[in-house]
Amino acid sequence: MAEADGAGTPRERYRAQVRAEIKQHAWEQIGTAGASGLSLNAIAKQMGLSGPALYRYFSGRDELITELVRDAYRSLADTLHAVAAESGSASPGAEPSATGKAATGTSRTADLAELAHALRGWALEDPNRYFLVYGTPVPGYHAPDDTTLIADEIMRMLLDACMALPPRREPAPFAAHIVEHRQWAEGHPAPPAALHKALTFWTRLHGVLSLEAADHFSGMGFDPARLFDAELDDLLDG
């Protein structure tokens, strides 16, 4: 990312540093008031800048939110890619090398359980970041189309992992429906059963994660990690 790579002229590096500082203040503000309460003027005051001066770095609230959304999705995608690189197998269709391993540079498919635990770790590390992309939409904010590209990248990793699972013995009725409603998969070759598994994984685990990240299990007396593992075991056995 430009804010962190240290490249460019002194002026460009200064601009990147100020943008990074603005984003840090934005995350702090989101942590106390939520994304809907994000205020560039308040950030400017914290930084000792005038409102117009801050608008030289971000044209408005929506551009700032978009940058935070991109950063959040990129962080999750990088986390899941790291899992796949460390312990995954060759993605479906990847050509093996002479040693039988995936050739250098080919994509890897992570184990579904490992993806799940990486997702949970990422979400609980920074709940505000998690809720910005998977929580209630920010009122009045409409993300540009390009922000979905990284989200699609994340979903492709999930679909790859689901394709690597043994097929269900009997197709679920929903599998027939998904054949005609697979636009969200963005051309991924996953068969209906894998599409169904990916959607089930995504919805059920995000349900548990959302409740845990919002601290709704507090005082209930059970270990949320064990609930998450139980849900994951059920998904893998289904």
Side-chain angles (χ1 to χ4, degrees):
M1 295 172 56
E3 281 79 5
D5 62 14
T9 67
R11 183 175 181 177
E12 289 169 340
R13 290 196 298 272
Y14 176 75
R15 177 178 176 80
Q17 179 181 344
V18 174
R19 281 173 60 89
E21 186 177 350
I22 291 169
K23 289 196 289 185
Q24 181 58 42
H25 281 290
W27 281 120
E28 292 170 1
Q29 198 175 97
I30 288 171
T32 57
S36 61
L38 194 61
S39 167
L40 268 68
N41 287 331
I43 293 172
K45 186 176 296 186
Q46 285 180 299
M47 296 177 64
L49 298 173
S50 66
L54 188 140
Y55 280 88
R56 291 201 298 266
Y57 298 95
F58 288 98
S59 63
R61 182 202 71 154
D62 285 6
E63 183 187 353
L64 177 55
I65 291 175
T66 295
E67 282 291 301
L68 299 179
V69 167
R70 287 187 181 125
D71 287 353
Y73 275 135
R74 183 74 266 157
S75 173
L76 177 55
D78 288 348
T79 296
L80 300 184
H81 277 304
V83 170
E86 181 176 345
S87 58
S89 59
S91 294
E95 292 294 332
S97 67
T99 63
K101 298 180 180 180
T104 301
T106 58
S107 59
R108 311 286 294 180
T109 299
D111 176 82
L112 190 60
E114 291 175 339
L115 284 181
H117 286 111
L119 171 64
R120 180 173 181 267
W122 178 86
L124 298 182
E125 179 183 52
D126 189 343
N128 292 321
R129 178 181 59 185
Y130 172 79
F131 283 120
L132 181 65
V133 291
Y134 293 118
T136 303
V138 180
Y141 172 71
H142 301 285
D145 291 342
D146 69 333
T147 59
T148 65
L149 295 177
I150 308 176
D152 292 342
E153 181 183 334
I154 293 167
M155 185 56 72
R156 284 195 299 273
M157 284 188 273
L158 174 57
L159 287 166
D160 286 344
C162 289
M163 282 183 69
L165 295 174
R168 292 174 61 103
R169 294 178 182 176
E170 296 182 5
F174 183 70
H177 171 79
I178 206 66
V179 170
E180 303 298 329
H181 300 84
R182 56 182 300 152
Q183 298 91 332
W184 57 273
E186 295 292 336
H188 193 284
L195 295 174
H196 186 191
K197 176 67 73 176
L199 282 178
T200 304
F201 174 99
W202 206 236
T203 53
R204 284 176 59 175
L205 293 189
H206 272 302
V208 175
L209 276 177
S210 296
L211 291 170
E212 182 179 8
D215 206 28
H216 287 304
F217 295 142
S218 179
M220 295 183 71
F222 65 86
D223 183 354
R226 298 188 68 170
L227 172 62
F228 186 87
D229 286 343
E231 284 292 290
L232 179 57
D233 288 344
D234 190 52
L235 285 167
L236 293 173
D237 289 340

